[in-house]
Amino acid sequence: MRSVTVDHPRGTRVRGTKQASAVAAALASLPGFRSAQEIHAELRRQGETVGLTTVYRHLQVLSEQGVIDTIRDPSGEALYRQCGSTAHHHHLTCRECGRSVEVEGRVVEQWAERVAAEAGFTAVNHTVELFGLCPDHSAARN
Amino acid sequence: MRSVTVDHPRGTRVRGTKQASAVAAALASLPGFRSAQEIHAELRRQGETVGLTTVYRHLQVLSEQGVIDTIRDPSGEALYRQCGSTAHHHHLTCRECGRSVEVEGRVVEQWAERVAAEAGFTAVNHTVELFGLCPDHSAARN
DNA sequence: CTGTTAATGATAATCGTTTCTATTATCAGT
DNA sequence: ACTGATAATAGAAACGATTATCATTAACAG
């Protein structure tokens, strides 16, 4: 394994910092979708010195790189998660614990494309989120 | 036509106010999805005296009643729209102008149910939003 | 080592939304 | 029509999530 200094458009470099790997590590270890603030709190709890600003910055970068997935909970808050598959997929997430299952959606993609074409829309992208209660948290309800 | 005083759980009443009808009227006339602030601005522009708080309150009520639909744009902002169909459906919305097309999604509902059942999740609800460029705004791109 | 400069992080600002609360206005009962 | 009880209003302030500012710190190429 080799620590790489990545090339940027104009000869600029990206530096490998403690915080960058800390955020990545946190995402890799946390099992479900978490908010930026939760991730920040978790890192602080582990004794890492990371600013909230920095956490947001890295989450944004990782998200743009496609390394992590971003969804929005019903209140509009952004949640982040490092996913197993880099391929396009959707999520079924527990409202209580953030635990999530990756689900493929060939059917949905096709449906979206068809619908968009029929309406004459272009540059269409879709967001499909499933929220519910995972088996562990289903019991509490009646 | 009869102006009705609706019954509430505990003998309370709901009053018909100028603001309530103003918000409803604005939603009925505006063609696409609009944010609360846009609706508020629109009402003010028309000379209506409505507070932003009041707009939010009515939007919330109307949304709970199922009279209007609420979606979230990619930034997490809530958008509102009075829809033709009261049945369950989804939307294909223009990123530029908010113009939207109602689309049914039997396929998606079934897919969501199947996926949820397979994962053992309960009380699952899904959000499916399509954003793109309507025919009028597709031209601007190349 | 050292200089350059990307990265950091505390603070402040912003944005959408909600709460607080004193005031206003609706409407049922006269 | 009048009036009293109280639902509804609206501005201000509070709020939580996110972003911008900017002085300071620390990677890393040489």
Side-chain angles (χ1 to χ4, degrees):
Chain A
M1 197 182 296
R2 169 189 293 277
S3 188
V4 183
T5 302
V6 184
D7 278 298
H8 265 219
R10 186 46 47 84
T12 50
R13 306 280 137 155
V14 172
R15 296 172 178 174
T17 66
K18 179 170 67 228
Q19 290 86 346
S21 41
V23 171
L27 282 162
S29 70
L30 291 170
F33 275 90
R34 300 279 178 257
S35 70
Q37 320 236 13
E38 283 173 336
I39 291 164
H40 177 242
E42 172 65 15
L43 287 169
R44 280 297 174 84
R45 202 175 53 64
Q46 293 176 9
E48 294 287 344
T49 62
V50 198
L52 179 56
T53 307
T54 303
V55 171
Y56 272 108
R57 225 189 337 257
H58 283 298
L59 288 174
Q60 189 176 298
V61 170
L62 292 169
S63 183
E64 284 169 2
Q65 292 177 342
V67 177
I68 62 175
D69 284 6
T70 305
I71 64 179
R72 286 192 180 268
D73 72 12
S75 80
E77 185 177 4
L79 303 178
Y80 307 88
R81 166 84 148 102
Q82 185 184 83
C83 283
S85 159
T86 67
H88 180 75
H89 61 273
H90 299 290
H91 298 95
L92 168 54
T93 307
C94 179
R95 272 191 289 272
E96 294 295 330
C97 64
R99 171 178 163 188
S100 81
V101 178
E102 299 179 26
V103 296
E104 66 74 30
R106 253 186 296 278
V107 189
V108 182
E109 323 301 332
Q110 289 168 357
W111 168 82
E113 275 181 36
R114 178 171 54 79
V115 163
E118 282 173 5
F121 275 56
T122 60
V124 175
N125 50 23
H126 58 274
T127 67
V128 176
E129 319 288 6
L130 304 178
F131 285 96
L133 296 173
C134 70
D136 289 354
H137 289 94
S138 289
R141 289 276 175 287
N142 67 340
Chain B
M1 196 183 298
R2 171 187 290 276
S3 189
V4 183
T5 302
V6 184
D7 279 297
H8 264 220
R10 185 49 47 84
T12 51
R13 306 277 138 157
V14 172
R15 296 173 178 175
T17 65
K18 180 171 64 226
Q19 290 85 347
S21 42
V23 172
L27 282 162
S29 70
L30 291 170
F33 275 91
R34 300 278 178 254
S35 70
Q37 320 234 15
E38 283 173 337
I39 291 164
H40 176 242
E42 172 65 15
L43 287 169
R44 280 298 174 84
R45 201 176 53 65
Q46 292 176 10
E48 295 288 344
T49 63
V50 198
L52 178 56
T53 307
T54 302
V55 172
Y56 272 108
R57 186 152 15 82
H58 284 297
L59 288 174
Q60 189 176 298
V61 169
L62 291 170
S63 182
E64 284 168 2
Q65 291 177 341
V67 177
I68 63 176
D69 284 7
T70 304
I71 63 178
R72 286 191 180 268
D73 73 11
S75 80
E77 187 176 4
L79 304 178
Y80 308 87
R81 165 85 147 102
Q82 185 186 82
C83 283
S85 160
T86 67
H88 180 75
H89 61 273
H90 299 289
H91 298 96
L92 168 54
T93 307
C94 179
R95 273 191 289 272
E96 295 296 330
C97 64
R99 172 179 163 186
S100 81
V101 177
E102 300 178 25
V103 296
E104 67 73 30
R106 253 188 298 278
V107 189
V108 181
E109 323 302 331
Q110 290 169 356
W111 167 83
E113 275 181 36
R114 178 171 56 77
V115 162
E118 283 172 4
F121 274 56
T122 61
V124 176
N125 52 21
H126 58 274
T127 66
V128 177
E129 319 289 7
L130 304 178
F131 285 96
L133 296 173
C134 71
D136 288 355
H137 288 94
S138 290
R141 290 273 175 290
N142 67 344

